[in-house]
Amino acid sequence: MITKKNIIIDPHNTLRKRAEEVSTPISEDDKKILKQLLEYVIASQDDELCEKYDLKPGIGLAAPQINVAKRMIAVHIPDEENPENTVSYSLYNPKIMSHSTTKCYLESGEGCLSVDKEIKGYVPRYSKIKVVGFNENDEKITLNLKGLPAICFQHEIDHLNGILFYDHINKENPFDVPEDYEKL
Ligand SMILES: [Zn+2]
């Protein structure tokens, strides 16, 4: 099981590398990593499990964050009121196929399991994205995302390209974003 000890912290070379494509069909080892990534994010949202296994809560995790430079991510965003809207995926070779021209940002800013220091500022993201990736059974998954899930996938896919959320923050004016950006 992945715990806090397995998650590497910025600065670290692996967090700044472009991760390698995963070959199809997926190997047993890679399949195991996909499962562990999703298992971690789900468990990290449970207070009891968090304490028991020393997990840091998160909604997404990418393989480079556990020092595996391969294109794999997991995202778990439950929607308790509308369970059918829960977004819970573990994918390899995820790719943003298209995106809206409109942009958005989280008013609270973003955080990252691999960034220990608090970095304040707005992170501009596309409001809507279409993601294609493959699950542990090599099935092609197409997702049309908006809101928090769209932001989270962009954050995780950035990890596969060696990009961290604070790279997107305006250095001179961290809270300065164009007026037409949607606030979430
Ligand atoms: Zn992150």
Side-chain angles (χ1 to χ4, degrees), residues 106-169:
L106 278 181
E107 200 183 2
S108 58
E110 292 185 24
C112 179
L113 294 172
S114 292
V115 178
D116 261 353
K117 53 179 185 224
E118 196 188 350
I119 299 174
K120 292 194 162 100
Y122 294 148
V123 182
R125 301 287 188 186
Y126 297 116
S127 303
K128 293 179 186 173
I129 54 168
K130 180 182 177 178
V131 174
V132 170
F134 298 87
N135 68 12
E136 58 173 62
N137 300 316
D138 297 317
E139 290 159 343
K140 188 176 175 180
I141 305 292
T142 303
L143 302 169
N144 288 296
L145 303 162
K146 59 181 174 145
L148 183 60
I151 290 177
C152 186
F153 268 82
Q154 289 171 80
H155 178 121
E156 299 314 324
I157 292 171
D158 268 354
H159 274 301
L160 307 181
N161 298 318
I163 298 166
L164 295 172
F165 73 93
Y166 62 77
D167 299 345
H168 297 290
I169 297 175

Side-chain angles (χ1 to χ4, degrees), residues 34-80:
L34 269 189
K35 280 186 182 167
Q36 286 178 330
L37 291 173
L38 188 58
E39 192 181 71
Y40 178 91
V41 272
I42 293 173
S44 82
Q45 294 176 30
D46 180 311
D47 291 344
E48 272 175 40
L49 292 177
C50 249
E51 203 169 318
K52 188 172 170 193
Y53 297 111
D54 191 22
L55 313 175
K56 198 172 150 189
I59 55 173
L61 187 63
Q65 295 181 270
I66 56 162
N67 207 13
V68 174
K70 288 185 171 183
R71 307 186 80 78
M72 292 186 267
I73 61 167
V75 169
H76 182 71
I77 304 173
D79 186 329
E80 264 130 49

Side-chain angles (χ1 to χ4, degrees), residues 2 11 15 26-27 59 62 70 101 103 130 133 152 169 171 176 179 182-183:
I2 297 170
L15 291 173
I26 189 170
S27 68
I59 55 173
K70 288 185 171 183
T101 51
K103 292 199 169 182
K130 180 182 177 178
C152 186
I169 297 175
K171 302 283 173 297
D176 188 45
E179 258 175 37
E182 187 192 355
K183 182 167 74 182

